[in-house]
Amino acid sequence: MIPAVAAMLIGLWGITTPSFWRDESVSTLAAAMPIGDLWHLLDSIDRVHALYYLLLRPVAALSTGELAMRLPSVVATAAAAYGIAVLGRKLATPGAGLLAASLYVVLPMVSRYAQEVRSYAIVTAVAVLATWVLIEATRRSSRRWYLAYGACLVLLGWFHVYALLLVVAHVVTVLWGRASSSSLSSPSSRPDVVRFAGALAVAGAGIAPLALLAAGQRETQLSWLKPPKPSDLPWLGEQVAGNVWVALLLVALMVVGAFSGGRLTAVALPWALLPFVSMAISLVHPVYNPRYVLFAVPAMTLLAGAGLNALRPRALGWIGLVLVAALTVPTHLTIREPDTRPDNLRDMAATLLARQRPGDAVLYVDEHRRLFSAVYEDAYRNLRDLTYAPDRRTPRTAAQLTAALDGVERVWLVTGGRKHMNRAFVEDDERYLALMANRDFALRSTDDFGYSWIGLYIRKRR
């Protein structure tokens, strides 16, 4: 329980200081909107996140503040830490499990996504659960446990479909267990390949509806992803560990753990290599992003924990853990600063609220930008929305926008991109082009808040 408690405490440390950013804005507003509006939203984007949004709805009904909305991720991180300790104990020794879970807790990437209103921490906890259930299924050789494993995979896929790469690692683990004298859970148990295949079939049936529903949104969801570059490999290490020195130390410990971990190696090594599998796939079909492979970090810490546990005298293992924790402190401090997210939507809302006047209007570019921006709703509540027709579901055409500008003196543009690496919607948004082309309006000012920015258009005096 010690790593779980530590994960909770570290996750809660400074949790309300960083601003919500655009992805968190989507999660929060989607969870808080009327259920009919949510279904309408899922018709156009984010079907792959439907289960997560539904999970958040009871939380959003109580509060949409940073603490409440980020708390499920903190709890999931604590659950993952507990599960890692259990896996380490089952596959190696209690000491290895405790060191592995403690390493997991102090890694900056873990802390970063423990404070995120997205599903990544929950996905990681489910990945740990699925691995534990597979080990139990092998130990007990029980049909019910294999069915439970299949159910875990369904849950994993519905929370984040790309986390199903875990199945690749589990297939390797099962075949490894069948081919060697090193089984998954004890020397007397070996994986039942037939029941394992049956569990995968159950999982496939449960995930198929999501695959069908999400297939039509692939371009919308993934168009911003690019094939990985050689620099993405060290960047992943820095994302996970906080800096290059901790990354190198972690890799060295993983190598030691892989050679000394026994049954743990069969489970953790294929799992830990999944980021490289994702990168390889992304050379042809981009699906890789560091946060999408957070679910592989538990495997890295299992190997590194086994490496620490193998050091002699044993005190060296705990000294190594303290060293890692100390080296990550600067990164922990940085990720808890107010403006360290890709967008500072809190400051953007404060600026907008301070400078708006009665009668001002707002144009969101593209049509979904309100979801990505307006999580601090007080700043947007009194602005007349020009983006949508009165039914609030159909975006205005350029002609309709021009007509709607009659009587409007000031228009706030709320958008993102253009000068950033992601694909910019603003260049081909017909409403934005119509506003830029309108000779009655001139751009008075712009303010950047990370990826997101606002501009003020004012009607020219005759």
Side-chain angles (χ1 to χ4, degrees):
M1 290 298 295
I2 293 175
V5 172
M8 285 290 296
L9 294 175
I10 294 175
L12 291 171
W13 167 33
I15 192 171
T16 61
T17 303
S19 166
F20 280 136
W21 70 291
R22 60 185 180 276
D23 280 13
E24 292 183 292
S25 177
V26 175
S27 297
T28 301
L29 293 177
M33 66 178 53
I35 194 68
D37 290 349
L38 176 59
W39 295 136
H40 179 74
L41 170 69
L42 297 175
D43 274 343
S44 54
I45 61 170
D46 276 3
R47 287 174 186 161
V48 292
H49 300 302
L51 179 60
Y52 179 63
Y53 295 159
L54 291 172
L55 177 71
L56 286 183
R57 289 185 71 79
V59 179
L62 297 174
S63 171
T64 55
E66 289 95 341
L67 175 60
M69 296 305 297
R70 289 169 174 165
L71 189 57
S73 292
V74 176
V75 173
T77 300
Y82 177 80
I84 291 165
V86 172
L87 287 176
R89 184 179 72 243
K90 285 181 173 292
L91 296 170
T93 67
L98 184 57
L99 285 164
S102 300
L103 267 177
Y104 181 77
V105 168
V106 302
L107 290 179
M109 187 181 196
V110 173
S111 195
R112 164 69 175 80
Y113 290 105
Q115 299 184 346
E116 178 95 344
V117 193
R118 295 301 271 179
S119 64
Y120 309 117
I122 295 175
V123 167
T124 303
V126 176
V128 172
L129 174 64
T131 304
W132 173 73
V133 173
L134 176 61
I135 291 169
E136 286 298 302
T138 299
R139 183 175 71 86
R140 298 168 186 263
S141 192
S142 164
R143 181 182 290 107
R144 285 185 299 176
W145 278 89
Y146 277 107
L147 288 175
Y149 169 68
C152 287
L153 294 183
V154 172
L155 191 63
L156 184 68
W158 276 88
F159 273 123
H160 203 279
V161 67
Y162 291 124
L164 290 172
L165 269 178
L166 182 66
V167 174
V168 175
H170 285 175
V171 168
V172 173
T173 294
V174 167
L175 295 178
W176 189 333
R178 292 290 298 179
S180 71
S181 59
S182 174
S183 71
L184 300 188
S185 55
S186 70
S188 61
S189 62
R190 290 162 68 84
D192 186 325
V193 174
V194 174
R195 288 180 176 174
F196 176 70
L200 295 185
V202 168
I207 295 161
L210 175 64
L212 292 173
L213 288 170
Q217 295 181 354
R218 183 191 176 279
E219 181 63 24
T220 302
Q221 297 293 141
L222 299 177
S223 60
W224 61 278
L225 291 172
K226 306 298 180 186
K229 305 181 294 294
S231 59
D232 286 323
L233 192 57
W235 175 240
L236 173 63
E238 291 189 40
Q239 287 276 292
V240 172
N243 60 70
V244 65
W245 302 112
V246 178
L248 291 172
L249 180 57
L250 193 65
V251 169
L253 290 171
M254 288 170 61
V255 171
V256 173
F259 281 102
S260 62
R263 287 178 288 133
L264 183 144
T265 303
V267 173
L269 184 58
W271 186 4
L273 293 176
L274 289 179
F276 304 103
V277 176
S278 180
M279 287 183 182
I281 294 171
S282 295
L283 293 174
V284 177
H285 183 84
V287 295
Y288 171 76
N289 185 276
R291 61 181 180 264
Y292 291 175
V293 294
L294 177 66
F295 71 92
V297 174
M300 300 177 191
T301 61
L302 281 167
L303 291 171
L308 285 172
N309 195 57
L311 298 178
R312 294 294 181 271
R314 289 192 181 278
L316 280 179
W318 295 100
I319 292 171
L321 174 64
V322 171
L323 177 62
V324 169
L327 290 173
T328 62
V329 167
T331 307
H332 279 284
L333 294 173
T334 297
I335 63 178
R336 287 167 172 81
E337 293 176 359
D339 59 351
T340 51
R341 300 300 191 257
D343 314 91
N344 191 332
L345 299 183
R346 184 192 294 140
D347 278 2
M348 187 168 84
T351 300
L352 189 56
L353 190 61
R355 294 174 55 191
Q356 66 184 249
R357 298 176 184 174
D360 283 3
V362 61
L363 177 66
Y364 299 100
V365 179
D366 75 349
E367 65 195 67
H368 298 300
R369 178 53 57 177
R370 186 182 188 282
L371 278 170
F372 288 87
S373 306
V375 65
Y376 299 102
E377 294 186 282
D378 287 348
Y380 303 88
R381 186 169 289 119
N382 296 322
L383 297 174
R384 177 187 169 195
D385 189 353
L386 299 177
T387 314
Y388 284 88
D391 66 3
R392 297 186 60 197
R393 291 191 173 184
T394 307
R396 297 182 195 268
T397 63
Q400 289 171 334
L401 174 73
T402 301
L405 287 171
D406 286 345
V408 175
E409 295 294 321
R410 294 163 32 114
V411 179
W412 289 97
L413 176 72
V414 177
T415 186
R418 300 189 73 198
K419 53 192 176 299
H420 298 271
M421 66 177 182
N422 290 19
R423 188 187 71 161
F425 295 103
V426 292
E427 311 298 354
D428 56 6
D429 185 275
E430 62 176 303
R431 290 160 295 280
Y432 178 63
L433 295 174
L435 178 61
M436 285 198 301
N438 193 309
R439 295 183 179 180
D440 292 332
F441 284 85
L443 179 64
R444 175 62 60 87
S445 64
T446 62
D447 294 277
D448 289 323
F449 301 91
Y451 180 86
S452 297
W453 58 278
I454 57 176
L456 175 62
Y457 282 81
I458 295 181
R459 184 178 291 275
K460 299 175 184 177
R461 298 300 179 190
R462 298 291 185 182

